[in-house]
Amino acid sequence: MSPRGRFVAPLLFAAIVVATLAVLVLSQTARTQLVVDQIELTNIVRPAEGEHAKIEFRLTEDEASGTVEVVDADDETVEVLAEDEPLGDFEFHRFRWDGAGAEPGVYRVRVTLDSLGREIVLPEQIVLKPGRDG
């Protein structure tokens, strides 16, 4: 083995160890910064049939002034479900959206946490569909 070859394997091993440690630190940081968890949404809603979306989530931080909105694909507010309301930590926050006046399409829920300086769009979608005949 050449002199250079003897150093390549230990250097590669060290690089793998450093990269693994960096990933562990980053993933632990992401976990500690999790603010919203235990999300449940009704994914398909037909307002013409009297259905509504159930929206439920839990915060891991206490929020003195939070806003919960339904937003469309262009990130425009369609309906405000709660505005400047206290949202306690480790409490389930439940909302309903009937989709009244909204066009069929895909919607999401945006949670703005003023005192924490965070705006979170929940990853789950609410698909508003016309009635069975539509």
Side-chain angles (χ1 to χ4, degrees):
M1 185 180 284
S2 73
R4 237 193 281 177
R6 281 187 264 165
F7 294 110
V8 172
L11 286 175
L12 284 176
F13 179 74
I16 290 171
V17 169
V18 168
T20 302
L21 290 173
V23 167
L24 287 172
V25 167
L26 288 173
S27 67
Q28 186 60 37
T29 301
R31 276 190 206 138
T32 59
Q33 292 179 351
L34 179 67
V35 176
V36 178
D37 71 354
Q38 297 191 21
I39 302 164
E40 287 191 37
L41 291 180
T42 304
N43 297 112
I44 297 176
V45 178
R46 291 179 178 84
E49 296 178 18
E51 296 178 357
H52 60 272
K54 293 180 185 176
I55 302 160
E56 183 176 302
F57 60 88
R58 185 179 78 159
L59 295 179
T60 60
E61 302 270 341
D62 196 36
E63 174 55 53
S65 176
T67 300
V68 180
E69 305 165 287
V70 177
V71 297
D72 63 15
D74 295 324
D75 207 30
E76 295 293 323
T77 301
V78 174
E79 186 165 338
V80 177
L81 304 174
E83 187 170 14
D84 300 327
E85 289 190 22
L87 301 171
D89 59 338
F90 297 101
E91 296 175 12
F92 284 96
H93 304 286
R94 294 174 179 89
F95 303 92
R96 292 168 52 126
W97 180 51
D98 62 10
E103 295 292 322
V106 177
Y107 296 87
R108 294 195 177 222
V109 175
R110 178 172 53 210
V111 181
T112 304
L113 307 170
D114 295 330
S115 67
L116 298 173
R118 304 277 303 262
E119 181 178 283
I120 301 161
V121 177
L122 302 184
E124 288 80 359
Q125 299 178 342
I126 300 170
V127 179
L128 220 55
K129 294 197 169 206
R132 290 190 210 288
D133 299 331

